[in-house]
Amino acid sequence: MNPLAQPIIYTTMITGTLITTLSSHWFLAWVGLEMNMLAFIPILMKKTNPRSTEAAIKYFLMQSTASMVLMMAIISNNLLSGCWTTTSYINQPPSLMMMTALAMKLGMAPFHFWVPEVTQGTPLTSGLLLLTWQKLAPISIMYQIHPSINIHILLTLSTLSTAMGSWGGLNQTQLRKILGYSSITHMGWMMMTLVYNPMTTIFYLTIYIILTTTMFLTLNLSSSTTTLMLSRTWNKSTHLAPLMAPILMSLGGLPPLTGFLPKWIIIQELTMNNSFLIPSIMTIMTLLNLYFYMRLIYTTSLTLFPTSNNTKMTWQLENTKPMPLIPPLIITSTLLLPISPLLLTFH
Amino acid sequence: MAYILFTLSVLLVMGFVGFSSKPSPIYGGLALIISGVVGCVIVLNCGGVYMGLMMFLVYLGGMMVVFGYTTAMAIEEYPETWGSGLEVLGGLLVGLMMEVMLVLWVLSLDEAVVVVVGFSDTGDWVIFEGEGSGLIRGDSIGAGALYDYGRWLVVVAGWTLFVGVYVVIEIVRGN
């Protein structure tokens, strides 16, 4: 992208999300979502090739369909209740339409098919913005409508998201597709406690953004987009090869690491509301997620793929690519569990 | 004359079917003009005189004209019209058939023409407020309020339209 065009595009993307999160009128919330989507399309097409054009078109079609359904829900809600404020109770049919529209925007099952394909067709930094920044505005709207959401349908969407995200990521070798399926799974987890305790959703979102940002920036260092390219990390940046292990285990939710904390809180919220089957099903489904992260750890640091003899001698030991924020992000994404009482002030 | 609003809405849907059966953009633009005119007349019938005439001026007289010129620049040798292929004709006929069945069903109800909106008793756009005359037309004062109470919305909408054009140029640039 032209460097003169970048300030306007990025400013509009950020402004769109800010308008959605800070507005109390439904119309302005919708306008913010549209502004965000419109300014995100050239970011998806940073490198112009037919694959990124296809990804941008798929993203645009899905998001504009979701915006249309959301606008229909907003107008039906106004017809039924006369209310334009986002904080008031939404009637049930418009609330169902709103939940469908926001599930389409977030990439929850059964509307999840675009997430791996759009994440795959774009550069790593665009994929990072797609899976982290673009989730903020729809989740802020879901937070505001959480009293009127139908519990049964939301829990169905969440369970389906976890199942589809886990099963879909099993046969992947492309790292961006793996992170796309991981995003679908985490969206399922996030939406489980929206009706019980919406602050846990925001907490899970925060931890998820930290983990996904760490993962994407680490992959961006060696520009690796497939498992095969990831297996050369031991040669390219030796210090990162063993560090991928705790990051990925945290993303999968293993106990002494940060990624376990939000899952623990969600399971606690659900069991406090006498629901035992659903957290069990979701935990078992997420184990499949952990399995393909483990496969990545195996190829990165636990084994050496056969290579030619030249690659076994690294002649350039100084890392020439700057590492933006990676050390503090790795620490945050693995070591936050001991200070969890400080983080869980909403309990 | 009591059924004028209902008839106009039926004509609107038929115009929409005309372009959503996907002919070539020139013919789609023609159907858009027809349904745009019908839409303006619906707004006029609901009492929004200023709004309807403003829509004629800006939408049909400004944006539609520009659309017509751009499609005339991108025309192909044998554009696809409504009778040229089975797909477009089929879509058109299915849409018209569904509209006719809907009209017959609505007319067969007891309280005719009150399905979603009460067609026979839509109010007028007049607000009984304000010093002096006590009567304000809702639509024309709304256009003035857009620059007063709605200043932020005008800024946001203007910025979004500008960024829309910017984004299209960025995407089409290709390097």
Side-chain angles (χ1 to χ4, degrees), chain B residues 7 9 36 41 50 54 60 65 74-75 78 83 86 89 97 102-103 113 115 122 139 147-148 152-153 155-156 162:
Chain B
T7 316
S9 338
V41 177
Y50 179 75
M54 197 56 49
L60 293 176
V65 165
I75 202 150
Y78 295 105
L86 209 54
L89 188 62
M97 204 59 51
L102 185 76
V103 167
V113 303
V115 179
T122 49
D139 45 358
Y147 295 96
D148 187 10
W152 175 236
L153 195 61
V155 168
V156 166
F162 164 67

Side-chain angles (χ1 to χ4, degrees), chain B residues 17-18 20-22 82 85-98:
Chain B
V17 167
S20 57
S21 51
K22 289 186 282 289
W82 292 290
L86 209 54
E87 301 96 358
V88 184
L89 188 62
L92 182 72
L93 289 179
V94 163
L96 290 179
M97 204 59 51
M98 284 173 63

Side-chain angles (χ1 to χ4, degrees), chain A residues 125 267 274 311:
Chain A
T125 43
I267 294 175
N274 290 327
T311 61

